[in-house]
Each structure stands twice: as structure tokens, then as C-alpha cells.
Amino acid sequence: MGEVYKIAVLHAFALGIMAGLAQQLPKISQSIFDGLHIGFGYWEFHFYLTAGGFVPRSDNLTFKPAFLIREENGAPANINLNTLRLFYEGLPGLIEKYTLKTLEKYDDCFFRGKAKWIEKNIQDMNSIGMRLESVVLGLFFFLAVTETLAQTGIGTQSPDENAVLDVSSTTKGVLIPRLTEVQVTALEDNSPVEGMLVYNTDQGCVQIYTGSAFECLTVDTGVDPTKDAWVDDPANNMVKLGTLSDGTTIRPAGRGFVAYDDGNVGIGTEFPFSKLSVVDATGEGAYVPIADFLAPANAIAGNNTNLKLGVASSDRNSADIRFNYQGSNSDLNRLDFGFDGIGDPRMSIRAGGNVGIGTTAPTARLNVKPASASASGLRLENISNSKNKQDANIAYTSPNNSPMYIDGNGYVYKKFNPVLEHSGATSFDGTYNITNTPQDIVSVNNGSIVRFQMYSGGFELGSNGTGLNLYAEITYGYNSGFRVVTYGYEVGGTGSNPLVITGEGTQTLTFNFDSGGDLVLSATGIGSGGSIRMNYAAAPNFTPVVMNVFQSFRSR
């Protein structure tokens, strides 16, 4: 009965202490926190219902199982279950023993030397009840403070009412965890909470976890904190990259990167005159790479990699430059030129060198396929027929002329031309104005063989009213003289004007018309830089005769 009495007295005395704490706790705790420079905003009280029983185990040991139902304002209600072990010792000794040990235990980690100050406050109390009140206060403070603090201040006794934690100092700062880039990456893989803060020592910035990655917190101070050296240049309406990657070396001329306010971008130049200007002012050599547009993942036979040009992505309003992949290192890989909305390209160039117009499978260096059998496949306009054909620096002189032929399969080839096959050979095709004065049409040497065709093209030979249109094919050799292979003529009027050819086998050949002037061919100076000449034997005031010479050839 004595044991039960001791326990009942202790339990009732504890309830009395708790009732006293309800009145004294704000006052006593505020005194302690003032000494620690820790402030709280306001107190919120809560309601408890507790019950339990005693289970004696020995003269000096009793277990007390109990439960506690707690209701907190603004938080869910909860139930606590616990068991206490009660030791029977003198109350004064018990209080002194465990109070001082508790204070000494927390001296280093929390009170920072305040244990003696609290001990003095305990000694100043006038009764065991007050000493128990202080002890229970300490136990409540360290183990189960029943008050919820809405604001906490460190370095201030008046924390802001809108802050959960208010830290104030004029000489110190708050230090958050410092991690390397590798450590931050490892933390990202460990499912961090959104809003977590770290300091990245490699990037030199405070980072916040946004839910997918840690990102640096930046402040617009008007100064770029990174070392990429992007420079705002409002005077020239552009932003430019001012340094190399080290952030200090000035970017050399010809290696600039600028973006103008109008959208023009320059690489290698600070003066882009289009949406993208790429200039390599330092590259030299047979092949200087300027830009690469590659799609390695598209290396599937038949796939195209496109570059589009035009005004809109609609039928015939844009053109495509397409690379058609057929296989690694294949001669069948193609560069196609097509138009949007048209499946087949208009022109194709195979890696093997064949070019197709209207076909993607050219079998010759140039393979032209008309759209239909009735459509023309090739047309040449404004072809010159003058004696000295020349365009810019490309000379189309007669020795380079060869007739072109098309076989039954559509293949085009040239006819054999002795002028192109023999050194010293030449041609003298052209239009000549023949007058009374002999005119050189080709130079000849000993051993030269000459062949040509001539055609007057009009009824100018002979006399008025009986003018002739003449065609003839002529050969000449120093030993054989002039020979007429064939000829033909026609009178332009209703009359007749017989033609007699004289001088075959000699150095002078005459087309002798019965009426009017005669056409004369002569070879002079043979062996000493001679020539074949042509003149028209007529009255001095006779209109010059136009003579066309073609299919001409001189062997040496």
C-alpha cells in the first residue's frame, strides 16, 4: 500500500506541476530564450486527454503504460502510446541528479554555457514544487515541448510574422551545403525534393531543384556573371561574342559571332547582309569547309536529307536540294534538285558522275529524258555561225567543230574530225565577202591537202536577171591542183546562164558563167608561205558576193 501511495502522490504531484506550467511556461521560457537570443512570434495552446495505469515490477521499479490524445489547432489530431519506468528515490535527490545531468548533457550542443545560469534559477526557487516545475519545464523543453511556435527568430526577438524562420545578423551569413558538379549530379539521381537549395562550387552559383534538374539562381544586375563574354552593343544594334572561351582573350578578326536586332546573324563576320552570313576569312587550300549539314541517323537506303529554299512550304513555292542515300560509298548516291509538291526531282547528279535531267537513274554523263515522247528533250538557241566564234575566254574556232550524231538508242556522239586528230590541221569555216580583189581564205604549205564546201546562199553570181545560187565541194593539193568533187547551181530568174568550170588539175579554178562575173580560186606562193585565194571577176562597181565556207579542212 505504501508503494501505491508513493506512486499516486508522485502522479498527482506531476499533474499539479503540469497545471502550474500552464500558467508559468510562457513566462519562464521567455526568460530562457532572452538569454539565448532566440525569439518566437506567439504561442498557440493545445488540448490533451491522457490515461494510464501502474504495473509494479519490484520495490524500486514500476511500469506505467499510458496513452495521450492530442488536438493541435491547425493540425491533425493524433494519439501517442508510451510506457514509463518509475524509480523510487528521494524526490530532492532524484530532481537534482537528473536535472543537472540533463543540463550538462545539452551544455555543448544547445545552451552554449547556459547550464549554470539555469541551475542558478532553480536554486532561487522557494519550494520543491517550484523546483519540480523548473525540472519538468526543462524536460518539456528538451523532450516534448507542447507549444507550436508560428515564427522562429535567430539573432532577433521579433521575427517577421510572415516568416517561419527569421535569421538576423550584421556580421555573419547563412551557409548552405556546398557540392561539386559531380555531387550535384549524384543528388539529382537520388530524387531530391523540389525547392532544395545547394551551392555548386564548380559553377559558382546557388542552385535550386526545379523538379527535373538543379538550376542556377541568377540576378539581373546588368553585369554578365559568366565567362562567355557576350557583349551588348546598342550603338551597332547587335549582341556579339567578345572573347574566346577563356572569357578574357579578345576574339580575333574573322572569328566573330554576332546577332543583329533585325535578325541577321554573322559567323566569321560582323557585317551579315542576310539572315545567316558565314565567312571564312582565314581558310585556304583546295577545299575550305564552310558549313556541314549532316543527318547520320538518316543513313537508310532511299531516305532523303533536304535543304529547303523558297517562299512557302507549298506546291512549287519552294525548292529542295536533296541528298538521296543509297548505300555507304556508293556511286548511286545522288544529289537531287526538286520542288515542293513534286515527288520526282527535276535533275539528279550521281556520285559516279552521271547527270540526269528528268531521270534519277542516268546511264551516261548527261542523260536527258523528256516529260513525254512528244516533248522536246534538247534545244540550243542563239548558236553562232560566224567564222571566229568566241564567248568570253572560250574560243569556238573551226578546228574544234565536229558534227553530232544520235544513234537509235538516243546516245549522242561526234563524227570523226581529222582537224582534232592531227597536229597542225586546221579548219577555216566562215562567211567571206568576195570582191574583185583576191582574198586569202586559208594558208597552205608543201604537202598540204585542202578540202572545203562553199555555198553562195543567194542569187548574186552572174548578172542581173540571171543571177546564180552556187554550191560546190572542192579539194586541193600542190600536185593534184584544184578538183571539183561535186557542184550544183540554179538561176534565180526565168532565163538561163550556163556554167563552165575550167582549170581543174591546175593552180587556178574558174567558175565561168555565160553571163556576168566569174568566181576564181587560186593557189599562190606554194612552198614559201602560200595561200588559197578567192575573188570575183566582175566590174569594179559590182556588189560583193557573200560566200559561205563550211566543212573545211587543211591537213598541215
Side-chain angles (χ1 to χ4, degrees):
M1 181 65 181
E3 295 176 355
V4 176
Y5 174 76
K6 292 180 181 179
I7 296 172
V9 171
L10 178 61
H11 189 64
F13 194 56
L15 293 177
I17 293 174
M18 293 180 64
L21 287 176
Q23 298 177 354
Q24 300 297 325
L25 184 58
K27 177 180 179 180
I28 298 172
S29 63
Q30 186 63 50
S31 175
I32 296 174
F33 296 145
D34 288 346
L36 296 175
H37 299 286
I38 299 176
F40 298 98
Y42 59 88
W43 297 83
E44 292 180 354
F45 292 93
H46 311 285
F47 305 96
Y48 300 87
L49 174 63
T50 182
F54 298 96
V55 182
R57 301 300 296 170
S58 67
D59 291 341
N60 295 317
L61 175 63
T62 298
F63 282 98
K64 179 195 174 186
F67 70 89
L68 172 68
I69 301 177
R70 179 171 57 188
E71 171 63 31
E72 298 183 0
N73 291 337
N78 55 80
I79 300 176
N80 293 338
L81 300 177
N82 55 74
T83 299
L84 302 179
R85 291 185 297 175
L86 303 180
F87 296 92
Y88 302 107
E89 295 183 15
L91 285 177
L94 176 66
I95 294 171
E96 180 179 359
K97 176 180 178 181
Y98 286 101
T99 300
L100 296 180
K101 284 187 176 182
T102 301
L103 295 176
E104 291 172 359
K105 177 180 178 181
Y106 288 92
D107 180 54
D108 291 334
C109 66
F110 188 84
F111 279 108
R112 308 293 184 185
K114 300 299 180 179
K116 294 185 179 296
W117 176 82
I118 296 177
E119 181 181 357
K120 181 178 181 299
N121 276 267
I122 294 175
Q123 293 171 352
D124 290 340
M125 296 180 181
N126 297 321
S127 66
I128 295 177
M130 290 301 294
R131 293 178 66 187
L132 283 172
E133 186 176 315
S134 299
V135 172
V136 175
L137 171 62
L139 293 176
F140 273 19
F141 180 78
F142 292 116
L143 303 178
V145 175
T146 61
E147 300 294 337
T148 299
L149 307 178
Q151 291 88 34
T152 302
I154 299 178
T156 177
Q157 297 181 12
S158 302
D160 188 278
E161 64 179 12
N162 295 315
V164 174
L165 175 63
D166 187 345
V167 181
S168 177
S169 176
T170 59
T171 59
K172 298 179 180 180
V174 175
L175 188 60
I176 65 174
R178 291 163 292 177
L179 285 73
T180 65
E181 183 70 25
V182 173
Q183 293 169 332
V184 170
T185 301
L187 182 57
E188 286 180 341
D189 296 336
N190 199 27
S191 302
V193 177
E194 186 172 350
M196 180 179 289
L197 293 174
V198 298
Y199 180 80
N200 190 314
T201 57
D202 291 331
Q203 295 194 23
C205 67
V206 175
Q207 291 185 319
I208 185 172
Y209 189 71
T210 61
S212 59
F214 278 97
E215 297 182 2
C216 287
L217 297 176
T218 59
V219 179
D220 186 6
T221 61
V223 179
D224 191 345
T226 62
K227 292 185 177 181
D228 53 15
W230 281 101
V231 178
D232 295 333
D233 188 357
N236 294 309
N237 301 315
M238 67 178 178
V239 177
K240 61 184 179 181
L241 191 58
T243 71
L244 298 180
S245 58
D246 59 10
T248 56
T249 305
I250 300 300
R251 185 165 290 274
R255 298 185 186 179
F257 192 107
V258 302
Y260 276 75
D261 292 349
D262 62 4
N264 288 0
V265 176
I267 301 176
T269 176
E270 291 192 356
F271 306 101
F273 294 102
S274 61
K275 289 305 176 188
L276 178 61
S277 295
V278 181
V279 177
D280 186 352
T282 60
E284 61 181 32
Y287 300 96
V288 177
I290 297 297
D292 292 334
F293 299 92
L294 304 176
N298 203 33
I300 300 173
N303 282 10
N304 295 288
T305 302
N306 293 6
L307 178 63
K308 188 180 293 292
L309 305 171
V311 296
S313 294
S314 56
D315 289 359
R316 293 174 172 78
N317 289 325
S318 63
D320 294 332
I321 300 176
R322 314 168 187 169
F323 174 78
N324 179 269
Y325 180 80
Q326 293 295 328
S328 178
N329 199 31
S330 173
D331 283 343
L332 301 181
N333 290 334
R334 301 192 317 266
L335 179 63
D336 293 339
F337 299 88
F339 287 86
D340 200 9
I342 301 175
D344 294 332
R346 291 305 190 222
M347 183 172 74
S348 300
I349 303 175
R350 276 186 167 176
N354 290 353
V355 178
I357 299 177
T359 176
T360 59
T363 57
R365 277 296 182 255
L366 178 61
N367 192 161
V368 180
K369 181 181 179 181
S372 65
S374 61
S376 175
L378 180 64
R379 180 182 181 185
L380 303 177
E381 295 186 291
N382 298 326
I383 305 302
S384 172
N385 63 354
S386 63
K387 180 175 65 175
N388 297 317
K389 307 172 185 69
Q390 186 169 350
D391 183 6
N393 295 321
I394 303 176
Y396 300 90
T397 55
S398 295
N400 295 322
N401 294 339
S402 293
M404 304 298 290
Y405 292 86
I406 303 177
D407 66 11
N409 294 320
Y411 288 100
V412 179
Y413 61 94
K414 67 178 181 179
K415 184 179 180 181
F416 173 79
N417 187 345
V419 174
L420 302 178
E421 303 298 332
H422 297 278
S423 176
T426 188
S427 177
F428 48 97
D429 288 2
T431 300
Y432 298 87
N433 292 321
I434 307 303
T435 66
N436 289 345
T437 302
Q439 177 182 352
D440 293 339
I441 60 173
V442 64
S443 61
V444 292
N445 304 298
N446 287 335
S448 294
I449 297 176
V450 178
R451 188 211 69 189
F452 63 92
Q453 298 178 50
M454 62 181 185
Y455 174 62
S456 63
F459 299 97
E460 298 173 348
L461 297 173
S463 59
N464 294 334
T466 56
L468 296 169
N469 188 349
L470 174 67
Y471 165 81
E473 183 176 350
I474 311 296
T475 63
Y476 170 80
Y478 177 73
N479 291 311
S480 63
F482 286 102
R483 296 289 182 180
V484 178
V485 177
T486 185
Y487 75 98
Y489 72 99
E490 185 57 61
V491 178
T494 57
S496 61
N497 191 354
L499 169 63
V500 177
I501 300 176
T502 61
E504 284 193 274
T506 69
Q507 304 299 308
T508 301
L509 181 68
T510 302
F511 291 83
N512 188 351
F513 300 101
D514 184 57
S515 176
D518 300 329
L519 181 65
V520 180
L521 297 173
S522 59
T524 61
I526 305 301
S528 59
S531 64
I532 293 178
R533 297 179 173 183
M534 184 183 299
N535 68 284
Y536 188 62
N541 60 352
F542 195 81
T543 303
V545 175
V546 176
M547 187 61 66
N548 301 295
V549 176
F550 56 99
Q551 295 292 318
S552 59
F553 164 72
R554 188 205 66 192
S555 64
R556 53 177 295 183

